[in-house]
Amino acid sequence: MKKIGYLHHNKESDMTNYSLTLMAITGLLGAGLLTACGGGGSDSPEEAKNSSDCFNAGFYRKDTQIYVSQSKSLNDGPASTNLVYHWVTSQNEENGINHIYVNPTPNGGRTSLHYSIEGGALLYHGYNAFNIGATSRQSLAPPRQSLIAMAPGQTTSQTIVQTDSVSNADGETKTVTTLAETRSYEGRETITTALGTVEACRFVSSVTASQQGKPEASRETQTTTWVAAAGPYRGLRLKESASTRQGGKTDTLVTETSQVSRFDIK
């Protein structure tokens, strides 16, 4: 089965779950397209490298287009294939800050994910989506921050208030969720995926999501993400494993990039 999705801080994956139902696009998008990798407490030169190689600035330049296929498996069940898009449609400078807008669905509706790069970090601000009969919006206060150059073992943390709203002919529905997030860079390792064998960075992130007025909807997600540190697809998320616990049940979603059909970096 094929579905259309998009790259990023995706996902009960990158910190909660990016989804074009547009009520939960909250990945550790710190970068959906990027992330970091590594292994335990070694002092080897390989392990000591920081995470900067795993950030590809070209991913956020105007007119960059990346199309990939991803294999997804929930709880070791049958795999499905998602077609994932990342198209930088515009940039706008405000007060010296370059704001970047990414379309994750070039063939369906008008959706714009909002990023900026400030102070050595990629910031995800939220999105706007305009579809027939409905408008969806997400805003994060403060924006989700993903440091670009992290030392092995370094951890960052944030508390974010995420507001999702959907407006249609029946009115507006709003959901407010508090996200307590941590993100750790564990170092480098060599991994083999469908795209080959490559040096990668590994991030481990966790998020506790508490929805206002619905304590039963609270959930905890831990995600391990590997991103290419070298090779032709540097900065691309190669593989991710996200385990979410909610209501006494744990589900694990494993995602792997299986094919790259376009990698046009500007």
Side-chain angles (χ1 to χ4, degrees):
M1 178 174 64
K2 287 190 176 182
K3 300 179 180 179
I4 295 178
Y6 54 99
L7 286 174
H8 257 289
H9 238 44
N10 317 236
K11 72 169 192 111
E12 212 54 64
S13 27
D14 291 30
M15 288 284 240
T16 331
N17 185 30
Y18 277 162
S19 119
L20 264 193
T21 57
L22 306 170
M23 285 299 292
I25 295 188
T26 54
L28 187 163
L29 211 141
L33 284 177
L34 29 114
T35 315
C37 318
S42 168
D43 293 326
S44 69
E46 180 98 341
E47 294 289 341
K49 295 177 182 177
N50 71 28
S51 64
S52 60
D53 290 340
C54 298
F55 180 84
N56 190 332
F59 282 39
Y60 298 95
R61 295 191 188 116
K62 189 176 184 302
D63 296 325
T64 283
Q65 295 186 52
I66 303 169
Y67 302 164
V68 307
S69 297
Q70 290 182 340
S71 172
K72 292 180 177 285
S73 177
L74 180 65
N75 297 331
D76 295 322
S80 62
T81 299
N82 281 20
L83 304 178
V84 178
Y85 299 91
H86 174 94
W87 175 21
V88 182
T89 55
S90 64
Q91 296 184 347
N92 181 29
E93 186 168 322
E94 298 177 14
N95 299 320
I97 297 171
N98 186 28
H99 292 270
I100 304 149
Y101 299 91
V102 175
N103 183 353
T105 55
N107 298 317
R110 292 180 296 141
T111 302
S112 183
L113 308 177
H114 177 194
Y115 298 89
S116 62
I117 299 174
E118 307 173 42
L122 176 71
L123 273 59
Y124 171 66
H125 298 261
Y127 73 85
N128 289 308
F130 303 95
N131 298 288
I132 297 175
T135 299
S136 303
R137 290 185 171 85
Q138 181 184 84
S139 62
L140 278 69
R144 173 175 290 110
Q145 175 179 278
S146 297
L147 291 182
I148 293 170
M150 296 179 71
Q154 183 177 354
T155 298
T156 61
S157 61
Q158 277 188 285
T159 298
I160 300 168
V161 176
Q162 174 182 304
T163 302
D164 296 281
S165 63
V166 176
S167 301
N168 55 33
D170 297 323
E172 182 182 37
T173 302
K174 184 176 292 187
T175 303
V176 178
T177 305
T178 299
L179 307 174
E181 303 183 353
T182 64
R183 178 174 180 254
S184 301
Y185 171 56
E186 295 197 337
R188 303 285 183 92
E189 64 182 300
T190 299
I191 67 168
T192 299
T193 70
L195 298 183
T197 300
V198 66
E199 180 187 346
C201 298
R202 184 172 69 200
F203 277 127
V204 173
S205 64
S206 64
V207 58
T208 298
S210 304
Q211 187 174 321
Q212 189 178 89
K214 289 189 176 182
E216 72 281 2
S218 296
R219 62 192 180 274
E220 298 178 3
T221 301
Q222 181 161 313
T223 305
T224 301
T225 309
W226 291 263
V227 172
Y233 303 126
R234 185 178 67 83
L236 186 68
R237 188 178 65 202
L238 302 172
K239 185 177 180 180
E240 185 169 83
S241 178
S243 293
T244 299
R245 182 174 177 79
Q246 183 175 15
K249 180 185 177 183
T250 300
D251 292 310
T252 299
L253 178 67
V254 176
T255 304
E256 181 176 329
T257 300
S258 54
Q259 182 178 359
V260 177
S261 56
R262 184 165 189 171
F263 199 74
D264 185 6
I265 303 296
K266 299 302 182 184

